[in-house]
Amino acid sequence: MKEIIATDTQRIAKNSLFLYLRMLFTMGVSFYTSRVILNTLGVVDFGVYNVVGGVTVMLSFFNGSLQSASSRYLTFSIGKGNVDEVKKVFRSVLGVHLILALVLFVLCETVGLWFVLNKLIIPEERYDAALWVYQCSIIAMLVSVVSVPFNALVIAHEKMNVFAYISIVESTLKLSIVFLLLIIPYDKLISYSILFLLVQLMLRAIYTIYCSKNFVESREKPQWNSKLSKELIVYAGWASNGSLALLANNQGINILLNMFFGPVVNAARGLTTQVQAAVLVFVQNYQMALSPPIIKAYATNDLQNMHKLVIASSKYGYLVMVLVVFPLFVFASVVLQLWLGTVPEYTISFVRITLLICLLAPLRQAMINAVHATGNIKRFQVYEGTTMLLVLPFSYIGLKMFDISPDSVMIIYGIIETLVQCIRFYIVLPLIKISFEEYFKKALMRPLLLTVSLFLLVFFLPSYDSLSVDTFLCMVVVFMIEIFFLFFIGLSLGEREKILLLIRTKLL
């Protein structure tokens, strides 16, 4: 058993390394391209792109649920080691996704198009460009939907190096878009939409070719297996409650801000979303590497190993998140000014509120991975999704009746997300047979103490709005204090001894 766990640990560490190398490259490209695209398109066009493209994302909420179902069923069948069952699952998954793509196409060209033309606030002279954005976003979304089974296979087989390489190719292609935009003499917003669509088509081809050459099950034709396909749809149906709620937190808020404040605030929201995505990558890589082993451990009834993985996912993911979030929160003004040059209104406050919400992400994903491993998601999705859906009505009432600010909308989002995380603990921990006391002691106690200790420092730190020698020295001091606190407060004595032993054996 110890040898098996050691092998799993080595594989997880290797996969995490590939994903972090991917992260460093993709994040650097993302921040650079965002600044250039914002300057090239302008604040209004950048806001139009975010809100119009968000309509297709909103209508495709069921795709996220079906993606979770597909990944879970493929990983579970691979964990059981039955090749014929893996083939059967893949055939059903592919068939269901093709049907979903057709349904989404009809929805986007009817309900979605009506919404774009009649409800969104778009400058009259940019309507034609907005329609180009919308149609390109529809095609890109459909490509993404039919790619899900192949992406899920790569992750289920734990080929994180391939996933990392393809992501680097994706970032390189997006970087090429930036340079092409600078020389293309045509409408920049329309050109950006078309080029982005071409990138999605190329990625779809890469995934399909790799899977067909390496995974025999990917060569199967789509099929409607009555029992399995219905099971997938029912599973995804319950999961869609959470996906719909996630849209309320993201695209729904984006549309509300557009309706009450216009595209300029959407630009701030769009930039904040990119910061959030970049920050979340720090833990998503680690937890993506842990997700298949958690599901496979449950499939083989190895609950002891599963518990260790869930606790490790929560604790170490949270520590990494604090390490990233705290300096960004303190120096948000400086970082955004360096990144963007001219910072749109509300961006700094949006980013700071969102960074605090990001602290919950490692705990959320650990619970989601655990509950999906069990397959018993009905109660979880009903409670989680229903509570998260409160974001939209509370925000709308506040905007309509009390004229609250955009910042207040983000605060509502944060409060409800905190409540939802408590609900996740309440449902998932008993389901996987971990007591809250054990989980709190092993996964939460030290990380929470570290968080309180660090954020108390904010009251004693000077405020900086631009980069200077003093700012740089303060950044260095803050980072050193953060590492010191993390080592002595965030880690237990045993964990500190293991790290010191590793340093002595590997580096000295």
Side-chain angles (χ1 to χ4, degrees):
M1 178 62 71
K2 289 183 178 179
E3 293 177 355
I4 294 173
I5 293 175
T7 302
D8 286 344
T9 303
Q10 291 173 358
R11 186 174 66 253
I12 292 167
K14 182 180 177 181
N15 287 335
S16 297
L17 177 61
F18 279 121
L19 292 171
Y20 275 108
L21 291 174
R22 158 191 174 266
M23 175 205 68
L24 292 174
F25 183 81
T26 57
M27 188 170 63
V29 170
S30 176
F31 277 111
Y32 173 74
T33 55
S34 297
R35 173 173 179 162
V36 177
I37 289 170
L38 175 64
N39 291 334
T40 303
L41 297 181
V43 173
V44 173
D45 273 6
F46 188 81
V48 168
Y49 181 84
N50 275 282
V51 72
V52 171
V55 173
T56 60
V57 176
M58 182 177 66
L59 289 173
S60 64
F61 74 91
F62 191 73
N63 183 46
S65 311
L66 197 53
Q67 183 173 354
S68 298
S70 303
S71 181
R72 190 264 173 188
Y73 274 82
L74 285 169
T75 304
F76 198 91
S77 59
I78 291 171
K80 292 169 67 176
N82 188 328
V83 177
D84 290 334
E85 184 177 344
V86 176
K87 290 181 179 180
K88 182 175 71 172
V89 171
F90 183 80
R91 287 195 298 267
S92 298
V93 165
L94 188 57
V96 171
H97 276 85
L98 288 174
I99 294 172
L100 176 63
L102 178 61
V103 173
L104 288 176
F105 175 76
V106 174
L107 282 175
C108 287
E109 292 294 2
T110 52
V111 178
L113 186 59
W114 171 85
F115 189 84
V116 169
L117 293 175
N118 294 278
K119 293 299 180 181
L120 294 185
I121 299 176
I122 300 171
E124 187 175 349
E125 65 275 10
R126 302 307 292 153
Y127 259 109
D128 288 343
L131 290 176
W132 273 93
V133 170
Y134 185 65
Q135 295 300 328
C136 288
S137 297
I138 290 174
I139 300 173
M141 176 202 65
L142 297 177
V143 170
S144 176
V145 169
V146 297
S147 298
V148 165
F150 300 93
N151 299 10
L153 268 184
V154 172
I155 295 173
H157 281 283
E158 299 185 60
K159 299 295 183 182
M160 300 305 176
N161 57 330
V162 175
F163 184 75
Y165 295 147
I166 295 177
S167 295
I168 290 173
V169 171
E170 179 181 3
S171 295
T172 304
L173 291 172
K174 289 180 179 178
L175 184 61
S176 302
I177 291 177
V178 170
F179 294 120
L180 288 172
L181 278 180
L182 297 175
I183 61 175
I184 290 177
Y186 306 109
D187 187 290
K188 302 296 184 184
L189 182 55
I190 295 175
S191 300
Y192 179 65
S193 303
I194 294 173
L195 290 171
F196 189 84
L197 170 60
L198 292 175
V199 168
Q200 299 305 308
L201 292 170
M202 293 175 67
L203 293 173
R204 167 76 172 91
I206 292 171
Y207 269 112
T208 303
I209 292 171
Y210 174 81
C211 289
S212 63
K213 287 185 175 181
N214 292 275
F215 309 133
V216 64
E217 61 268 25
S218 70
R219 301 166 199 160
E220 299 291 314
K221 301 298 182 183
Q223 183 183 66
W224 178 266
N225 181 305
S226 182
K227 180 179 181 297
L228 184 55
S229 297
K230 289 179 181 178
E231 193 175 330
L232 275 166
I233 293 173
V234 170
Y235 187 97
W238 287 115
S240 66
N241 202 35
S243 297
L244 183 60
L246 188 62
L247 279 169
N249 290 349
N250 293 297
Q251 302 305 328
I253 289 176
N254 206 19
I255 290 171
L256 276 181
L257 292 174
N258 175 268
M259 292 171 64
F260 284 89
F261 301 104
V264 174
V265 176
N266 285 125
R269 171 68 174 161
L271 292 167
T272 302
T273 302
Q274 292 188 35
V275 173
Q276 181 183 30
V279 169
L280 291 179
V281 164
F282 280 90
V283 293
Q284 285 173 342
N285 289 327
Y286 174 64
Q287 292 185 319
M288 183 185 294
L290 278 171
S291 179
I294 288 174
I295 294 174
K296 290 173 183 177
Y298 187 85
T300 56
N301 202 32
D302 186 1
L303 293 183
Q304 183 180 4
N305 189 30
M306 181 193 183
H307 292 170
K308 290 180 179 179
L309 292 171
V310 170
I311 289 171
S313 176
S314 302
K315 180 176 182 177
Y316 301 127
Y318 189 95
L319 291 177
V320 170
M321 185 59 73
V322 171
L323 194 66
V324 175
V325 162
F326 180 68
L328 286 177
F329 181 91
V330 174
F331 299 104
S333 299
V334 179
V335 172
L336 288 171
Q337 188 181 60
L338 285 173
W339 173 33
L340 301 172
T342 301
V343 182
E345 187 181 5
Y346 294 111
T347 304
I348 295 173
S349 56
F350 277 14
V351 165
R352 281 187 167 139
I353 296 169
T354 301
L355 286 172
L356 294 177
I357 298 170
C358 283
L359 291 174
L360 297 172
L363 309 179
R364 176 185 71 229
Q365 195 57 47
M367 294 299 102
I368 290 174
N369 286 342
V371 77
H372 278 285
T374 69
N376 188 5
I377 65 169
K378 179 178 177 180
R379 181 165 172 257
F380 176 84
Q381 293 294 347
V382 169
Y383 280 78
E384 182 203 45
T386 303
T387 308
M388 287 177 67
L389 282 171
L390 295 174
V391 172
L392 270 184
F394 280 6
S395 298
Y396 181 80
I397 291 170
L399 290 166
K400 190 73 174 178
M401 300 180 63
F402 301 103
D403 295 323
I404 62 174
S405 67
D407 291 339
S408 299
V409 173
M410 300 300 294
I411 292 172
I412 291 173
Y413 165 31
I415 292 172
I416 292 179
E417 180 60 39
T418 304
L419 173 62
V420 171
Q421 186 56 45
C422 296
I423 293 173
R424 294 186 187 109
F425 288 143
Y426 174 75
I427 295 174
V428 177
L429 294 180
L431 192 62
I432 60 175
K433 300 178 181 178
I434 300 181
S435 68
F436 181 77
E437 291 77 11
E438 179 186 359
Y439 181 82
F440 180 82
K441 182 179 179 180
K442 293 182 177 180
L444 293 182
M445 186 170 68
R446 285 184 171 273
L448 291 178
L449 183 60
L450 171 67
T451 305
V452 173
S453 302
L454 284 174
F455 278 91
L456 284 176
L457 288 177
V458 174
F459 297 102
F460 302 99
L461 293 173
S463 177
Y464 295 102
D465 294 322
S466 60
L467 186 63
S468 64
V469 175
D470 289 344
T471 308
F472 179 75
L473 291 175
C474 187
M475 287 179 173
V476 173
V477 171
V478 166
F479 183 72
M480 292 174 64
I481 293 173
E482 187 179 29
I483 295 296
F484 180 83
F485 277 28
L486 187 147
F487 189 76
F488 287 100
I489 299 176
L491 300 176
S492 66
L493 177 61
E495 290 166 335
R496 294 198 295 270
E497 289 175 346
K498 287 180 182 178
I499 290 175
L500 293 175
L501 179 62
L502 181 65
I503 292 174
R504 284 196 295 267
T505 56
K506 297 294 184 181
L507 302 179
L508 300 179

